[in-house]
């Protein structure tokens, strides 16, 4: 068996041990879960080293299903894209596991939490390693299950239970299309193997390619929270903060981006599909950014930021800038995981407080958290030199040369990103205190087991962009590394136009930061003035454009009313009526027949005599 399979095997073993022996292990569960992730990360480094040296290979674990002409195996495809994704999943996952030791230390479900985290990493690594669409689909559903378990981890809270169900149901909508796409791929190609499908895509009819690609993208919209299936992700903040960092910022929600990039050969056969990917991404990026402008919950601001940044990634894919989209996926994993874990550190230091209106002046009390979160914020907005600067600039440049309308909207989104990100930083750390004196007195920095992962992610945010994202005549080092898998369609964005775009992007980011400073730092800000629906537009944004309200009125309530009607009227009145009516008919018929059984021999003899007379009369009459 190839050593590649050890990468998912370690977290699977950790999950099984904590599931079976969790009550016995108790507070020592992290001694199982964290080493499992460390081993998985080291395995990913070994695989990445092989890929870096130019080795791309497939390895089969066993034959899975054989039915007539259909045969599929559990096979891993290892190439540069796989290597990058494995490092992101296991590396960020490892840091979040370490952070969780401090964040969840008082939780009664400690062992169960680490079991779920390990199970998620196992599912995600298998999703990345999958060498065919059926295996991809199985673990696509597995990460959805893990998401449900982790969002609803505190299941005794009704809001958490409802958020878990919402995420699961909304994802099923997208996964329905994904499942149909896989069936269509089998019909069109006679195989589900990546290599054979992507090779045969060149001969695929454009109409068929459009249908398959749009159904695949439907699944991506559900998993990666794109409009109109974005509504589950903000509510998923009901889960513990490490869950938000791992699943809903760094890894699971990027599965859709990975799947579309992996399937680019199918999407490139359809200009319609690529246009849909582009404009759904652009609309999502701007739409979610507008909502993030006014949110008051520190985690919900970051949630809408995640939705928006995923939109940037899909916009890049729709433009054919595949390496730019994946590069932003990687850098986003670093700085968004950092921001979520930093938010968790703030919540931990304030004993559960998440409302930005009840924070302020935390920088002197939480120096490491304030410093690292500020670095994460600078990475998110695209501050020059940091990771997000290089990846977002690639996307904006691709948009400028591909679609000026998309570029203008994405640039507006960058301005809003800068504003709401530093609005969060200023309100949490640098404005005057707005919490009670008792809370302010007890506010404290998180323990080292939580701050060290913040420092590591901050370091990655600082160095990742400069290490692999600096463009040259032959593209960025990251693009050259992925070129065997993802074609470079971005073209040359250098010269005077490239410099102009770079400068304009920096100006837009600086304007957003300055506006946030002017509104929240130039003068003392009062809690009662933050996030208040003082205008129709603010009310609209506070209610997330009333999309949830619309879905509730147009879909949820009508379906619930239909279900109640079917349960109370149709089921009880019609179905049960037919069944009960049949039963009453049998009882009536049986009661009638029972009257013939009198128990008197004379009656039976008379009946036999009458029967004999009838038979004789019949034969005589013939």
């Amino acid at each position: 068996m190839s050593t590649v399979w050890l990468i998912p095997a370690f977290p699977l073993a950790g999950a099984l041990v904590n599931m079976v022996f969790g009550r016995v292990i108790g507070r020592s569960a992290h001694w199982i879960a964290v080493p499992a992730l460390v081993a998985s990360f080291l395995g990913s480094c070994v695989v990445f080293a092989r890929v870096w040296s130019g080795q791309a290979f497939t390895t089969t674990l066993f034959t899975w299903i054989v039915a007539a002409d259909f045969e599929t195996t559990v096979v891993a495809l290892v190439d540069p894209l796989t290597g990058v994704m494995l490092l992101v999943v296991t590396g960020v996952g490892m840091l979040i596991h370490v952070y969780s030791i401090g964040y969840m230390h008082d939780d009664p479900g400690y062992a169960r939490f680490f079991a779920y985290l390990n199970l998620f990493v196992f599912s995600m690594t298998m999703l990345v390693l999958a060498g065919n669409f059926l295996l991809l689909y199985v673990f696509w559903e597995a990460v959805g299950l893990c998401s449900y378990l982790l969002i609803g981890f505190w299941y005794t809270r009704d809001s958490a239970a409802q958020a878990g169900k919402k995420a699961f149901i909304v994802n099923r909508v997208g996964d329905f299309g994904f499942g149909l796409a896989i069936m269509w791929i089998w019909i069109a190609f006679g195989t589900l193997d990546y290599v054979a499908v992507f090779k045969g895509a060149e001969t695929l009819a454009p109409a068929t390619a459009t249908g398959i690609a749009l159904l695949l993208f439907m699944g991506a919209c559900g998993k990666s929270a794109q409009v109109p299936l974005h509504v589950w992700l903000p509510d998923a903040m009901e889960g513990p903060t490490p869950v938000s960092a791992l699943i809903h910022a760094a890894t699971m929600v990027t599965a859709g981006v990975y799947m579309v990039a992996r399937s680019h050969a199918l999407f490139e056969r359809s200009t319609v599909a690529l246009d849909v990917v582009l404009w759904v991404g652009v609309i999502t990026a701007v739409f979610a950014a507008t909502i993030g402008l006014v949110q008051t919950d520190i985690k919900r601001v970051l949630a809408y930021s995640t939705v928006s940044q995923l939109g940037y990634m899909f916009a890049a894919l729709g433009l054919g800038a595949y390496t730019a989209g994946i590069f932003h996926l990687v850098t986003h994993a670093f700085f968004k995981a950092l921001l979520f874990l930093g938010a968790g550190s703030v919540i931990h230091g304030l004993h559960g407080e998440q409302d930005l209106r009840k924070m302020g002046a935390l920088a002197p009390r939480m120096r490491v958290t304030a410093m690292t979160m500020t670095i994460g914020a600078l990475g998110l907005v695209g501050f020059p030199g940091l990771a997000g600067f290089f990846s977002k600039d690639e996307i904006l440049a691709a948009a400028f040369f591909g679609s000026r309308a998309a570029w203008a909207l994405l640039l507006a989104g960058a301005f809003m990103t800068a504003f709401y990100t530093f609005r969060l930083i200023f309100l949490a750390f640098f404005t005057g205190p707005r919490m009670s004196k008792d809370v302010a007195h007890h506010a404290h920095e998180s323990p080292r087991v939580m701050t060290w992962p913040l420092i590591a992610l901050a370091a990655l945010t600082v160095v990742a962009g400069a290490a692999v994202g600096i463009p040259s005549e032959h593209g960025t080092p990251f693009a050259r590394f992925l070129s065997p898998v993802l074609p470079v369609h971005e073209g040359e964005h250098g010269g005077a136009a490239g410099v102009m775009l770079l400068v304009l992007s920096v100006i837009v980011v600086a304007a957003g930061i300055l506006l946030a400073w002017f509104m929240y730092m130039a003068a003392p800000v009062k809690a009662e003035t933050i996030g208040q629906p003082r205008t129709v537009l603010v009310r609209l944004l506070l209610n997330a454009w009333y999309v949830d309200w619309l879905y509730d009125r147009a879909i949820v309530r009508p379906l619930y009313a239909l279900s109640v009607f079917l349960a109370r009227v149709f089921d009880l009145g019609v179905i049960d009526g037919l069944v009960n009516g049949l039963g009453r008919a049998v009882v009536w018929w049986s009661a009638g027949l029972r009257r013939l059984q009198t128990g008197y021999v004379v009656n039976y003899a008379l009946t036999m005599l009458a029967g004999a007379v009838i038979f004789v009369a019949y034969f005589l009459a013939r």
Side-chain angles (χ1 to χ4, degrees):
M1 183 182 73
S2 173
T3 54
V4 169
W5 298 107
L6 294 177
I7 297 172
F10 284 119
L12 176 61
L16 292 175
V17 170
N18 277 325
M19 284 179 182
V20 176
F21 303 106
R23 292 189 177 183
V24 177
I25 297 172
R27 299 293 172 185
S28 300
H30 60 272
W31 289 109
I32 303 296
V34 175
L37 257 292
V38 173
S40 184
F41 174 68
L42 293 176
S44 299
C45 291
V46 172
V47 169
F48 186 82
R50 291 181 63 183
V51 173
W52 183 267
S53 65
Q55 296 184 45
F57 57 93
T58 60
T59 175
T60 302
L61 187 61
F62 59 85
T63 300
W64 181 17
I65 300 174
V66 178
D69 295 333
F70 180 77
E71 180 176 337
T72 187
T73 57
V74 177
V75 59
L77 172 63
V78 182
D79 58 17
L81 180 57
T82 306
V84 168
M85 292 298 295
L86 285 176
L87 282 183
V88 171
V89 172
T90 59
V92 175
M94 177 182 66
L95 293 173
I96 293 172
H97 273 65
V98 173
Y99 176 95
S100 298
I101 298 172
Y103 191 86
M104 301 295 291
H105 72 284
D106 287 331
D107 197 280
Y110 192 75
R112 178 167 58 92
F113 180 79
F114 278 102
Y116 289 168
L117 283 187
N118 271 186
L119 186 63
F120 167 78
V121 174
F122 159 70
S123 301
M124 192 66 197
T125 53
M126 284 298 297
L127 184 153
V128 170
L129 285 168
N132 61 62
F133 279 99
L134 186 59
L135 194 62
L136 171 69
Y137 184 77
V138 168
F139 288 98
W140 185 275
E141 296 297 334
V143 295
L145 171 63
C146 294
S147 175
Y148 167 76
L149 294 173
L150 285 164
I151 294 170
F153 180 76
W154 289 318
Y155 57 86
T156 54
R157 286 169 29 186
D158 183 66
S159 57
Q162 294 295 334
K165 287 191 291 185
K166 184 176 183 179
F168 194 78
I169 293 169
V170 172
N171 272 271
R172 296 293 71 71
V173 176
D175 294 351
F176 176 73
F178 191 22
L180 291 178
I182 293 174
M183 296 178 195
W184 201 342
I185 289 171
W186 166 254
I187 293 171
F189 297 98
T191 180
L192 296 177
D193 183 72
Y194 284 165
V195 176
V197 169
F198 299 151
K199 185 177 180 180
E202 299 175 358
T203 61
L204 199 62
T208 302
T210 298
I212 293 174
L214 289 179
L215 287 172
L216 287 174
F217 184 57
M218 183 176 172
C221 284
K223 195 68 71 185
S224 296
Q226 296 296 284
V227 170
L229 300 179
H230 67 285
V231 292
W232 66 270
L233 195 146
D235 289 355
M237 297 303 107
E238 290 293 337
T241 301
V243 173
S244 304
L246 179 62
I247 297 183
H248 306 115
T251 52
M252 189 197 90
V253 292
T254 60
V257 179
Y258 165 77
M259 184 266 288
V260 173
R262 173 67 76 186
S263 307
H264 67 87
L266 295 171
F267 282 84
E268 288 191 334
R269 289 291 297 169
S270 169
T271 55
V272 173
L274 284 176
D275 284 342
V276 169
V277 174
L278 166 63
W279 286 106
V280 168
V282 170
I283 291 169
T284 302
V286 177
F287 174 81
T290 60
I291 300 172
L293 297 174
V294 297
Q295 298 300 307
T296 56
D297 184 298
I298 188 171
K299 288 176 66 176
R300 290 185 79 86
V301 174
L302 297 176
Y304 282 109
S305 171
T306 297
V307 177
S308 180
Q309 296 306 305
L310 289 166
Y312 277 89
M313 298 174 206
F314 278 110
L317 299 182
L319 290 162
Y322 303 113
T323 55
I326 296 298
F327 188 31
H328 197 55
L329 181 157
V330 174
T331 60
H332 178 264
F334 298 150
F335 55 69
K336 188 54 65 66
L338 168 59
L339 287 169
F340 265 113
L341 294 185
S345 180
V346 171
I347 295 167
H348 181 272
L350 295 179
H351 305 285
E353 184 58 66
Q354 296 184 201
D355 195 334
L356 288 167
R357 293 170 294 188
K358 299 178 181 178
M359 297 180 187
L362 292 178
R365 299 175 176 86
M366 309 179 72
R367 296 181 184 276
V368 175
T369 300
M371 178 184 67
T372 54
M373 277 198 76
T374 302
I375 293 173
L378 290 170
L380 172 58
V381 304
F383 187 81
L386 301 187
F389 169 75
F390 293 97
S391 58
K392 188 175 289 187
D393 179 64
E394 281 290 317
I395 296 173
L396 290 173
F400 181 81
F401 292 100
S403 171
R404 297 295 170 84
W407 169 77
L409 289 171
L410 292 176
L411 194 65
F415 171 79
M416 289 185 281
T417 300
F419 174 80
Y420 68 65
T421 302
F422 273 86
R423 172 180 178 269
L424 181 154
I425 295 296
F426 292 151
L427 287 176
F429 296 106
F430 299 109
T431 55
R434 294 177 302 280
M435 71 284 283
S436 66
K437 291 184 178 180
D438 183 62
V439 172
H441 177 72
H442 290 93
H444 61 279
E445 183 61 275
S446 299
R448 290 184 179 180
V449 74
M450 293 173 64
T451 56
W452 278 110
L454 299 180
I455 295 171
L457 289 167
L460 289 170
T461 300
V462 171
V463 304
V468 297
I470 297 179
S472 66
E473 294 180 359
H474 305 290
T476 64
F478 189 80
R480 294 197 299 271
F481 176 67
L482 291 181
S483 60
V485 185
L486 300 176
V488 180
H489 295 319
E490 297 93 327
E492 294 295 333
H493 305 322
V499 174
M500 177 198 72
L501 292 174
L502 193 67
V503 172
L504 184 59
S505 176
V506 173
I507 292 173
V508 166
V509 167
I513 297 173
L514 285 174
L515 179 61
W517 180 88
F518 178 78
M519 291 184 64
Y520 297 100
M521 291 291 294
V525 59
K526 297 180 180 179
E528 58 270 18
T529 64
I530 303 171
Q532 295 300 315
R534 289 171 290 181
T535 65
V536 174
L537 179 59
V538 174
R539 185 183 300 276
L540 189 67
L541 298 180
L542 281 171
N543 288 279
W545 293 89
Y546 289 98
V547 174
D548 281 282
W549 178 88
L550 179 62
Y551 286 177
D552 183 60
R553 297 313 193 271
I555 299 174
V556 177
R557 293 192 181 187
L559 285 177
Y560 180 75
L562 177 62
S563 301
V564 171
F565 169 78
L566 292 175
R568 297 179 181 177
V569 179
F570 188 77
D571 188 37
L572 295 178
V574 179
I575 304 299
D576 283 6
L578 289 173
V579 174
N580 293 335
L582 181 61
R584 284 192 291 269
V586 171
V587 170
W588 175 81
W589 178 257
S590 301
L593 291 177
R594 188 175 60 191
R595 294 179 181 277
L596 300 176
Q597 305 296 324
T598 62
Y600 294 106
V601 176
V602 175
N603 289 347
Y604 299 153
L606 182 61
T607 302
M608 294 172 64
L609 177 61
V613 169
I614 291 171
F615 271 106
V616 170
Y618 172 75
F619 285 112
L620 289 176
R622 292 181 63 184

